[in-house]
Amino acid sequence: MKQIKDCGISEAKEFHTLWKLPNFPLTELVGKFDPNVENYDQELVISVPTGHVQLKNQLDISTLYTVNEYSYRTGAIRSDQAVVFFKKFVEKVSKGKIFNSIVDIGGNDLALLRQMMNSGKSHTVIDPICASLDGETIDDIKVIGKFIEEVNLSDDLVQPDLVICRHTMEHIARPSQVIRQWFDQCTSDAIYIIEIPCFENLVESLRFDAVFHQHFQLFDLYSLKNLIWECGGEYIDHAHYHQGSCGGSLMIAFQKAKTEQPRPLQIDLEKRILFFEKRIAEYKIQMQTMGELLKELPGPVYGYGAGLMLATFAYHLNTDFKEIVCVLDDDAEKDGMTYRNVPVTIRSTEKVKPPKNSSYIITSMENLRPIYKRILDLNPRRILTPLIS
């Protein structure tokens, strides 16, 4: 674990603590339950005076990402609808331009580039998850299975004039270094389009279960504009996708500035801090209430939705979910799976049919609405929906 000394988007070195998270669990550890799995102290901090929200403690990537256990893949959060929305934003910004070289950083499932074959002449995906495919070409897409910092965009591929990066920048310890690398190695007129989980959407929807060790940076429009300016970039456009993961996502397009750009408007830092702390306090009250209600639910009790954030969700509810029979999920491939740090078993709804008048708690906040509708078909006695937002 490394404790940050500098802000993730600037040279600020002073931080204000928004939320202390002692003994905080890792998410998505799939495997046999082990009560001795290690947790790590964490803090959510905001830099002064920049106002960027980030994690104070950054765990080593060997702890955060293992091939066999880590389930939080970018492909897992790319619904067809989300890909279509992003592609339309790209088309709006590029105005129909055909690019010489499109690079997708973090696009391990190749889904987006497959839909953009008519928008460019050369297509490359860069993602360390694809290490086993490094150097291969799949569906006319060159695969580089490395971290972006290990790749020279000018020498190792056709020099990019469009870089897209979805749900990756929040995982990077020093995003300013990556953007400066892009500016140095891509064409002078290249367009860059980033999509990130949006912290302002997360706060609005009280999705604080989606604060977890893997997301070093918690961007919103304000902090992302500041990052682009700090690196010598020029803002072009942005769009919010409110149905995105972690409460909703933000897309922003920018380019390397040809002239000096004015600093983005500064925000009232004290007001910003007070608002974030108020929403965190509201979330904590809700979680305490819901945790107590869970203990009082008439049985049998089932979870519904094998959520990626189940470990952090349990942490905030102050429960180990021993009250529930199992976690139901509509994905048949997850039947029988378990979490290493949450003592529950996932069962397919094709295999397990709960009796009428059972009680349920929704355990995947990413799919709250469709899950609620599915539970109604099961003639429930009670449904516990963990958030009022």
Side-chain angles (χ1 to χ4, degrees):
M1 179 183 289
K2 179 179 67 176
Q3 194 170 98
I4 60 172
K5 304 284 191 222
D6 304 307
C7 171
I9 68 168
S10 71
E11 300 307 314
K13 298 182 185 298
E14 182 181 349
F15 301 96
H16 172 85
T17 298
L18 296 172
W19 198 10
K20 289 190 176 183
L21 298 161
N23 205 31
F24 197 52
L26 289 166
T27 48
E28 309 94 48
L29 291 181
V30 177
K32 184 179 179 181
F33 176 69
D34 179 359
N36 298 314
V37 168
E38 191 171 0
N39 297 335
Y40 303 88
D41 291 344
Q42 191 54 268
E43 285 187 39
L44 189 67
V45 299
I46 186 168
S47 63
V48 180
T50 312
H52 172 54
V53 179
Q54 57 217 287
L55 297 184
K56 184 175 183 178
N57 300 321
Q58 295 181 347
L59 291 173
D60 187 85
I61 57 174
S62 63
T63 299
L64 292 175
Y65 310 107
T66 60
V67 174
N68 294 327
E69 293 176 341
Y70 188 59
S71 302
Y72 195 78
R73 301 288 187 255
T74 50
I77 55 176
R78 287 176 174 167
S79 68
D80 291 341
Q81 184 180 0
V83 170
V84 169
F85 190 95
F86 184 86
K87 185 170 180 285
K88 286 182 178 179
F89 180 68
V90 174
E91 291 169 350
K92 176 188 175 185
V93 171
S94 63
K95 300 176 182 178
K97 177 181 176 179
I98 303 299
F99 294 93
N100 286 321
S101 176
I102 301 176
V103 175
D104 185 355
I105 297 170
N108 56 79
D109 63 355
L110 312 186
L112 181 58
L113 282 186
R114 284 191 177 104
Q115 292 203 27
M116 297 185 64
M117 299 305 289
N118 294 329
S119 301
K121 300 174 183 177
S122 171
H123 302 80
T124 307
V125 64
I126 301 172
D127 195 320
I129 291 174
C130 300
S132 63
L133 302 174
D134 184 43
E136 293 189 18
T137 298
I138 301 172
D139 297 337
D140 291 326
I141 299 170
K142 181 179 180 179
V143 179
I144 299 178
K146 299 177 181 177
F147 289 98
I148 178 61
E149 296 90 341
E150 300 172 327
V151 181
N152 188 306
L153 299 172
S154 295
D155 298 339
D156 297 342
L157 58 150
V158 178
Q159 191 176 30
D161 52 357
L162 174 63
V163 174
I164 54 182
C165 181
R166 299 188 63 216
H167 296 282
T168 299
M169 192 62 70
E170 63 272 17
H171 296 261
I172 296 175
R174 297 295 296 172
S176 58
Q177 294 178 3
V178 171
I179 291 180
R180 289 189 175 100
Q181 174 193 357
W182 296 351
F183 286 169
D184 288 342
Q185 297 177 1
C186 297
T187 64
S188 60
D189 62 346
I191 294 174
Y192 308 89
I193 302 178
I194 293 173
E195 182 176 8
I196 46 89
C198 182
F199 189 62
E200 58 192 313
N201 287 344
L202 182 154
V203 173
E204 174 190 299
S205 59
L206 291 181
R207 280 296 314 280
F208 288 103
D209 63 297
V211 173
F212 59 111
H213 288 295
Q214 284 90 344
H215 282 186
F216 293 160
Q217 318 294 337
L218 291 103
F219 292 108
D220 58 11
L221 181 59
Y222 168 76
S223 63
L224 206 46
K225 279 186 173 182
N226 269 280
L227 170 62
I228 292 165
W229 179 83
E230 290 274 0
C231 295
E234 179 179 359
Y235 162 85
I236 298 175
D237 199 359
H238 77 275
H240 285 279
Y241 180 60
H242 294 289
Q243 288 70 44
S245 63
C246 303
S249 63
L250 167 69
M251 282 151 256
I252 192 164
F254 60 98
Q255 58 191 9
K256 185 177 181 179
K258 294 180 174 59
T259 59
E260 186 175 349
Q261 298 296 303
R263 175 183 280 275
L265 292 176
Q266 296 301 287
I267 202 162
D268 185 329
L269 181 60
E270 182 177 357
K271 183 178 179 181
R272 184 174 171 86
I273 289 172
L274 288 174
F275 176 67
F276 290 160
E277 291 181 336
K278 175 177 177 289
R279 296 294 279 177
I280 290 169
E282 291 170 347
Y283 176 77
K284 290 166 73 174
I285 290 170
Q286 284 202 36
M287 289 297 98
Q288 181 180 353
T289 301
M290 294 300 174
E292 293 170 356
L293 290 174
L294 174 60
K295 294 174 183 176
E296 298 169 1
L297 272 183
V301 180
Y302 292 83
Y304 205 121
L308 297 173
M309 304 298 121
L310 192 62
T312 57
F313 186 33
Y315 175 90
H316 297 305
L317 286 173
N318 191 29
T319 183
D320 57 7
F321 286 119
K322 285 184 178 178
E323 298 89 351
I324 68 176
V325 177
C326 64
V327 170
L328 298 170
D329 197 274
D330 293 335
D331 184 351
E333 293 185 2
K334 294 180 180 178
D335 186 62
M337 289 175 57
T338 54
Y339 297 87
R340 287 185 58 209
N341 56 352
V342 186
V344 299
T345 300
I346 302 167
R347 296 306 312 273
S348 166
T349 50
E350 295 180 3
K351 300 287 184 66
V352 174
K353 304 298 181 184
K356 291 182 180 180
N357 297 315
S358 295
S359 295
Y360 298 85
I361 177 172
I362 296 176
T363 45
S364 174
M365 300 310 299
E366 296 290 353
N367 302 292
L368 192 151
R369 294 177 186 178
I371 288 176
Y372 192 90
K373 292 178 181 178
R374 288 282 288 116
I375 294 174
L376 289 177
D377 294 334
L378 300 176
N379 300 299
R381 179 172 176 178
R382 296 284 183 272
I383 305 175
L384 186 58
T385 305
L387 277 182
I388 303 171
S389 64

